[in-house]
């Protein structure tokens, strides 16, 4: 195995035929890798195997060249689980100091790192306050600080921004990009597709315990160029004439419901802006008013929803 994180046929089965099956992945150094999937797909189970908290049923995997669970790997990784709790009676500094001792860090180095990580996650001014007074967002920041404390080479994050407000999420994205630029590898398990699109180079989609799709974010966004047209004057009898006019092109159309103001949203999978201009003119020729035309900002969501709807069902 040659990747910083690599799995071959990694499998973990539970009673009731639940778990993850036959997972093949490779994550390179200095990469932010997005691991996506609906609730219950098995994402957290997979991450727990990688960090050594669950023993696989079958397959093999390595982190930093060590078999998963090996102390050589565990000393060099950071992990923020989705569900975590810290001692409410401790201050953030005391929590971090305790975690530093668990990692067998030198006392003077612990103090230096506490200053660095609390500053990095935006807790420096409130690090001496007790955890019981922290909001969910502040506790999330503390969890991220704990994961960063031992200066890991690989960082596993399970929903690191789920409790943060938009400003906090933006700060976490900026931090992840900084860590990537410093050479750290980040494995990001999240359902926040906007964050994935902003920071990840590659993604994989897990459904029903199996990888259903994977690739670079660039390729995925290029393969799903969805444009939205808000239009007026649309009637069902226009569907056939419009389909006939686009039949010679590789164009996908999806017409939404018309609202009370008579506005309809038309989604079009187009190759480029020239096709968007052509479709705009075609709609005008059919007597349809076009109010706005724009490429969808978060096209990763379209890719995600398309795959989950076509391959979906409740995850196992």
């Amino acid at each position: 195995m040659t990747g910083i994180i690599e799995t071959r046929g990694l499998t973990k089965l539970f009673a009731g035929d639940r778990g993850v099956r036959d997972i093949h992945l490779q994550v390179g150094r200095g990469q932010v890798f997005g691991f996506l999937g609906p609730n219950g797909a098995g994402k957290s189970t997979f991450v727990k195997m990688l960090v050594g908290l669950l023993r696989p049923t079958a397959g093999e995997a390595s982190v930093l060249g060590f078999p998963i669970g090996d102390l050589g790997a565990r000393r060099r990784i950071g992990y923020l689980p989705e569900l975590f709790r810290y001692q409410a009676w401790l201050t953030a500094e005391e929590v971090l100091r305790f975690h530093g001792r668990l990692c067998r860090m030198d006392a003077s180095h612990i103090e230096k790192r506490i200053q660095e990580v609390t500053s990095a996650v935006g807790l420096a001014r409130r690090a001496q306050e007790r955890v019981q007074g922290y909001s969910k967002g502040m506790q999330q920041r503390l969890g991220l600080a704990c994961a960063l404390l031992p200066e890991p080479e690989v960082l596993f994050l399970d929903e690191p921004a789920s409790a943060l407000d938009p400003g906090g999420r933006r700060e976490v994205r900026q931090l992840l990009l900084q860590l990537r630029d410093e050479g750290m590898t980040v494995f990001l398990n999240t359902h926040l597709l906007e964050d994935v699109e902003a920071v990840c180079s590659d993604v994989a989609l897990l459904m029903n315990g199996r990888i259903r799709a994977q690739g670079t974010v660039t390729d995925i966004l290029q393969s799903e160029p969805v444009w939205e047209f808000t239009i007026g004057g649309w009637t069902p009898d226009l569907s056939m004439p419009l389909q006939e006019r686009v039949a010679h092109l590789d164009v996908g159309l999806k017409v939404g419901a018309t609202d009370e103001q008579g506005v309809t949203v038309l989604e079009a999978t187009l190759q480029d802006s020239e096709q968007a201009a052509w479709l705009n003119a075609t709609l005008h020729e059919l007597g349809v008013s076009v109010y706005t035309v724009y490429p969808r900002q978060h096209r990763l969501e379209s890719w995600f929803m398309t795959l989950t709807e076509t391959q979906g069902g409740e995850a196992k």
Side-chain angles (χ1 to χ4, degrees), residues 86-87 89-101 110-119 123-131 134 142 145-146 149:
Y86 298 117
Q87 297 87 343
W89 60 90
L90 297 180
T91 67
E93 286 186 347
E94 290 169 338
V95 169
L96 288 163
R97 200 168 288 124
F98 174 62
H99 278 254
R101 291 198 298 269
I110 290 175
E111 298 306 314
K112 177 176 180 290
R113 286 296 293 160
I114 287 176
Q115 299 303 313
E116 292 173 347
V117 297
T118 54
S119 177
L123 281 182
R125 295 183 178 180
R126 304 189 63 178
Q128 296 182 354
E129 296 181 20
R130 297 187 187 277
V131 174
Y134 275 15
L142 176 57
C146 287
L149 187 69

Side-chain angles (χ1 to χ4, degrees), residues 44-222:
S44 292
T45 294
F46 182 70
V47 171
K48 287 177 181 178
M49 283 194 286
L50 293 180
V51 300
L53 295 178
L54 283 178
R55 188 183 298 274
T57 304
E60 58 180 339
S62 67
V63 176
L64 293 163
F66 296 92
I68 52 176
D70 188 283
L71 284 178
R74 294 175 72 172
R75 290 190 181 101
R76 296 158 66 183
I77 67 175
Y79 174 46
L80 173 61
E82 181 180 11
L83 301 175
F84 59 89
R85 294 290 185 273
Y86 298 117
Q87 297 87 343
W89 60 90
L90 297 180
T91 67
E93 286 186 347
E94 290 169 338
V95 169
L96 288 163
R97 200 168 288 124
F98 174 62
H99 278 254
R101 291 198 298 269
L102 289 177
C103 293
R104 299 185 180 180
M105 296 170 61
D106 179 78
S108 61
H109 188 49
I110 290 175
E111 298 306 314
K112 177 176 180 290
R113 286 296 293 160
I114 287 176
Q115 299 303 313
E116 292 173 347
V117 297
T118 54
S119 177
V121 303
L123 281 182
R125 295 183 178 180
R126 304 189 63 178
Q128 296 182 354
E129 296 181 20
R130 297 187 187 277
V131 174
Q132 63 187 7
Y134 275 15
S135 65
K136 289 183 179 180
M138 290 176 65
Q139 292 184 41
Q140 195 105 43
R141 292 172 185 266
L142 176 57
L144 185 55
C146 287
L148 290 171
L149 187 69
E151 298 180 273
E153 294 179 47
V154 181
L155 185 62
F156 292 93
L157 301 177
D158 199 346
E159 300 290 358
S162 58
L164 298 177
D165 59 24
R169 286 173 53 197
R170 183 174 61 253
E171 291 173 6
V172 169
R173 291 198 297 266
Q174 293 171 342
L175 177 59
L176 294 183
L177 291 174
Q178 176 185 332
L179 295 172
R180 178 204 64 188
D181 293 342
E182 294 171 356
M184 185 180 295
T185 302
V186 181
F187 193 94
L188 179 62
N189 177 5
T190 182
H191 68 280
L192 299 174
L193 301 181
E194 180 183 355
D195 293 348
V196 172
E197 191 169 332
V199 303
C200 293
S201 57
D202 289 72
V203 296
L205 174 65
L206 186 73
M207 287 189 58
N208 297 322
R210 296 182 183 273
I211 296 291
R212 303 299 182 181
Q214 59 182 302
T216 69
V217 172
T218 299
D219 287 346
I220 290 168
L221 296 185
Q222 288 178 345

